[in-house]
Amino acid sequence: MTSSQDDDDQISASLLAANRLLQKYCNSQNDSFLLCKVEDDNPKACHQQALALSKCAASVFQKISKNCGSEFNTYARCLEQGNFDLNQCRYPKGDSEKIFYACAEAKNLYP
């Protein structure tokens, strides 16, 4: 596997691991961006919506890192090593998904 592929897999695993929190925090920004993309094929037309979505996602990852970084990294690593199969990261194989989301809930990361 190439370094670029490794990086892509790490990013994909992180996005999948943070999916629920990204949906909670960034749903309106995501909807706005997707609606813009449907209405206009010009990539420049949706720059502001893309920027707002990126800022929101970055904010979510900062909160995760500050509050539940270790639990999140374990969960994301599990997803990456398990070919993104969520069942590989659930009971009885360590339940890293549950541990991460329990941390997120305990630290009030849900809006």
Side-chain angles (χ1 to χ4, degrees), residues 10-94:
Q10 288 174 346
I11 292 167
S12 295
S14 294
L15 288 170
L16 182 57
N19 180 43
R20 286 191 219 165
L21 289 173
L22 290 169
Q23 285 178 345
K24 294 269 187 199
Y25 280 97
C26 304
N27 192 50
S28 65
Q29 292 90 338
N30 189 55
D31 286 349
S32 178
F33 175 69
L34 292 176
L35 181 60
C36 180
K37 295 294 284 177
V38 167
E39 292 175 348
D40 197 327
D41 287 336
N42 180 358
K44 291 181 181 180
C46 303
H47 177 74
Q48 291 302 318
Q49 292 86 346
L51 186 59
L53 179 55
S54 295
K55 285 181 180 181
C56 182
S59 172
V60 170
F61 281 108
Q62 286 174 343
K63 288 175 185 171
I64 289 171
S65 179
K66 179 180 177 186
N67 293 285
C68 299
S70 177
E71 296 86 348
F72 177 78
N73 290 335
T74 299
Y75 181 35
R77 230 180 352 266
C78 179
L79 289 169
E80 184 180 2
Q81 292 169 352
N83 293 319
F84 304 97
D85 180 357
L86 292 171
N87 290 320
Q88 294 292 317
C89 304
R90 293 179 176 151
Y91 181 80
K93 297 187 181 213

